[in-house]
Amino acid sequence: MDFVAGAIGGVCGVAVGYPLDTVKVRIQTEPKYTGIWHCVRDTYHRERVWGFYRGLSLPVCTVSLVSSVSFGTYRHCLAHICRLRYGSPDAKPAKADITLSGCASGLVRVFLTSPTEVAKVRLQTQTQAQKQQRRLSASGLLAVPPMCPALPACPEPKYRGPLHCLATVAREEGLRGLYKGSSALLLRDGHSFATYFLSYAVLCEWLSPAGHSQPDVLGVLVAGGCAGVLAWAVATPMDVIKSRLQADGQGQRRYRGLLHCMVTSVQEEGPRVLFKGLVLNCCRAFPVNMVVFVAYEAVLRLTRGLLT
């Protein structure tokens, strides 16, 4: 049931957090934005509400699988560790056991999330690429085809949707294109999911009433929200690099790899670039992970009640 509960929790979380994720990606990949509200106002002014939900359909379809694998891997890995170390899968795990299981969960999910992340980032950022081309056309630096009646209608969007984006990337860049930025994704998710599950377990223990092994709903909300914030606090630097590597396929490529992207970004924009979107990530993480863990725990408790 951990797989089912994780799937339901993940879908609830993506429904809450996707608009802020779009803003986060644009802030990280577009130097022109001076802050969160600048990006929000510009996106709404140019694209209205739909602009915040670009590329949503693929994450909604895949997030249930990814979240299911994440929570299921964590629980099963933890059960195996406890069985090996303490003789029973139901034994109370040590913090090192939770950390190792969380890290394994983060590493496993990368193989599923990388293509989805590539499509999501390309769709979320292609509007900016189009605007740059239009500015070049208007200044005479880019030839405008005579068939185009007006600049705003040209060029056409390169990607028509998530599936078309995946097919285009696979055709133009091969299988490696679908896993672009996966090295940064591995570094991001490994330690962030270790932090995620460890902080949730510790906070649940602290917030559990005397004589109870689990916290009430309010405790789960607080523990889940805080766990999400802590996880994103350690994940943001690699998330910035991941987003830039994955967006680097629309036009001329700038980065040769993870280290080159990191060095170039820091040289051009200073060390602060690695923390672009940190505040937004943390603001988004709290409500999203509140919902994820409440839904996850609710499904587990409901199924336990039905089975007993």
Side-chain angles (χ1 to χ4, degrees):
M1 287 308 301
D2 291 287
F3 287 97
V4 176
I8 294 172
V11 170
C12 294
V14 78
V16 171
Y18 197 83
L20 289 177
D21 184 70
T22 297
V23 175
K24 180 262 297 183
V25 168
R26 291 187 176 189
I27 287 174
Q28 291 177 340
T29 58
E30 290 298 316
K32 71 173 186 176
Y33 290 121
T34 57
I36 295 171
W37 290 114
H38 180 211
C39 182
V40 170
R41 286 196 301 268
D42 184 71
T43 301
Y44 181 77
H45 175 71
R46 296 176 182 275
E47 305 169 60
R48 299 302 175 188
V49 175
W50 170 244
F52 296 99
Y53 290 93
R54 284 186 176 274
L56 174 64
S57 57
L58 187 61
V60 165
C61 294
T62 58
V63 74
S64 57
L65 174 63
V66 173
S67 185
S68 171
V69 168
S70 297
F71 279 89
T73 300
Y74 167 72
R75 286 292 184 184
H76 282 267
C77 185
L78 191 60
H80 283 297
I81 290 173
C82 289
R83 184 182 292 112
L84 289 172
R85 293 192 63 186
Y86 313 116
S88 171
D90 299 320
K92 184 178 179 180
K95 291 180 176 60
D97 304 331
I98 296 171
T99 302
L100 183 60
S101 300
C103 183
S105 168
L107 296 177
V108 167
R109 63 180 269 127
V110 169
F111 298 99
L112 296 172
T113 58
S114 188
T116 305
E117 288 278 327
V118 169
K120 176 176 72 70
V121 169
R122 295 283 178 92
L123 287 166
Q124 287 173 329
T125 58
Q126 77 168 348
T127 301
Q128 280 76 13
Q130 287 175 252
K131 291 172 189 169
Q132 290 172 359
Q133 288 179 307
R134 288 170 186 167
R135 284 196 295 270
L136 289 172
S137 298
S139 62
L141 297 175
L142 185 68
V144 181
M147 296 295 291
C148 295
L151 284 170
C154 176
E156 289 295 321
K158 182 175 182 179
Y159 307 118
R160 297 193 297 269
L163 294 179
H164 179 253
C165 179
L166 288 174
T168 303
V169 171
R171 184 175 64 253
E172 294 181 352
E173 304 173 43
L175 186 63
R176 291 181 62 183
L178 296 177
Y179 284 89
K180 200 167 191 177
S182 57
S183 55
L185 199 56
L186 282 166
L187 291 173
R188 185 195 77 173
D189 285 356
H191 66 284
S192 68
F193 270 82
T195 304
Y196 185 58
F197 285 110
L198 176 62
S199 56
Y200 178 72
V202 170
L203 288 167
C204 281
E205 188 175 340
W206 287 354
L207 295 170
S208 296
H212 292 77
S213 60
Q214 292 179 318
D216 55 17
V217 175
L218 181 60
V220 172
L221 286 169
V222 173
C226 291
V229 169
L230 291 171
W232 273 108
V234 300
T236 295
M238 277 300 109
D239 188 57
V240 173
I241 302 305
K242 183 272 304 179
S243 293
R244 293 190 171 207
L245 286 171
Q246 291 178 332
D248 187 37
Q250 305 185 84
Q252 187 175 1
R253 291 181 176 83
R254 297 186 60 203
Y255 308 120
R256 296 193 297 269
L258 187 148
L259 288 176
H260 181 245
C261 178
M262 185 181 297
V263 171
T264 303
S265 298
V266 171
Q267 286 177 342
E268 292 178 354
E269 302 174 54
R272 292 180 62 183
V273 69
L274 297 177
F275 298 94
K276 268 192 169 185
L278 174 60
V279 174
L280 185 60
N281 274 339
C282 293
C283 291
R284 179 176 66 98
F286 196 88
V288 167
N289 289 285
M290 281 172 56
V291 172
V292 168
F293 274 106
V294 164
Y296 173 75
E297 295 288 357
V299 172
L300 286 183
R301 293 179 189 185
L302 178 63
T303 52
R304 289 192 195 113
L306 292 174
L307 295 173
T308 56

